[in-house]
């Protein structure tokens, strides 16, 4: 899913989660869908983008209004279960970065004939 944030007031925050998956699904896909749905219901959630290569390397970026919104999401009990399962069986490694977005712009190519 791609996040369109062109109408969002600046600044806002991005949580960049880069990861290397382990082999096999082991319930990952279902939990990922659940986390995306749950995240959309959280206060301050603005959008999400996620990409994964066939090698298992991936990037998920979630966007939030405030740092407090991010803290609330991190402490969500269902999200904490997903975090624990991720450490136990879904990820070989991961990295999290929280960034403040102070400037953002978009480009969309119009059809050329």
């Amino acid at each position: 899913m791609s996040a369109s944030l062109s109408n969002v007031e600046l600044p806002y925050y991005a949580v960049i989660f880069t990861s290397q998956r382990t082999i096999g699904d082991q319930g990952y896909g279902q939990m990922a869908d659940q986390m995306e749905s749950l995240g959309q219901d959280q206060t301050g959630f603005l959008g999400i983008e996620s990409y994964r290569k066939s090698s298992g390397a991936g990037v998920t970026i979630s966007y939030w209004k405030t740092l407090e919104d991010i803290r609330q999401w991190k402490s969500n009990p269902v999200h904490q279960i997903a975090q624990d399962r991720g450490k136990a069986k879904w990820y070989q490694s991961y990295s999290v970065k929280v960034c403040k977005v102070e400037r953002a712009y978009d480009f969309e190519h119009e059809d050329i004939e």
Side-chain angles (χ1 to χ4, degrees):
M1 170 199 260
S2 179
S4 176
L5 303 172
S6 57
N7 295 325
V8 174
E9 183 179 337
L10 293 166
Y12 56 87
Y13 294 86
V15 177
I16 304 169
F17 180 81
T18 56
S19 62
Q20 178 63 49
R21 282 284 323 278
T22 56
I23 297 172
D25 184 81
Q26 303 177 48
Y28 176 84
Q30 182 178 357
M31 182 63 85
D33 291 344
Q34 184 180 1
M35 288 301 95
E36 184 172 336
S37 179
L38 182 65
Q40 291 174 1
D41 293 335
Q42 297 296 298
T43 299
F45 177 83
L46 300 173
I48 191 168
E49 299 174 285
S50 191
Y51 309 95
R52 183 147 320 266
K53 294 173 68 173
S54 60
S55 67
V59 178
T60 298
I61 308 169
S62 59
Y63 300 96
W64 302 87
K65 288 182 184 177
T66 69
L67 289 172
E68 181 57 29
D69 296 332
I70 294 168
R71 281 190 277 281
Q72 291 296 319
W73 171 240
K74 182 169 176 48
S75 66
N76 177 290
V78 179
H79 186 211
Q80 287 184 338
I81 291 169
Q83 292 171 58
D84 291 344
R85 288 185 188 164
K87 291 175 185 174
K89 62 182 178 179
W90 293 328
Y91 297 113
Q92 181 68 38
S93 62
Y94 67 80
S95 174
V96 179
K97 297 167 186 73
V98 178
C99 308
K100 184 176 185 180
V101 178
E102 295 181 344
R103 185 168 71 107
Y105 54 92
D106 297 321
F107 169 79
E108 186 172 330
H109 198 285
E110 295 181 25
D111 292 336
I112 298 177
E113 296 185 38

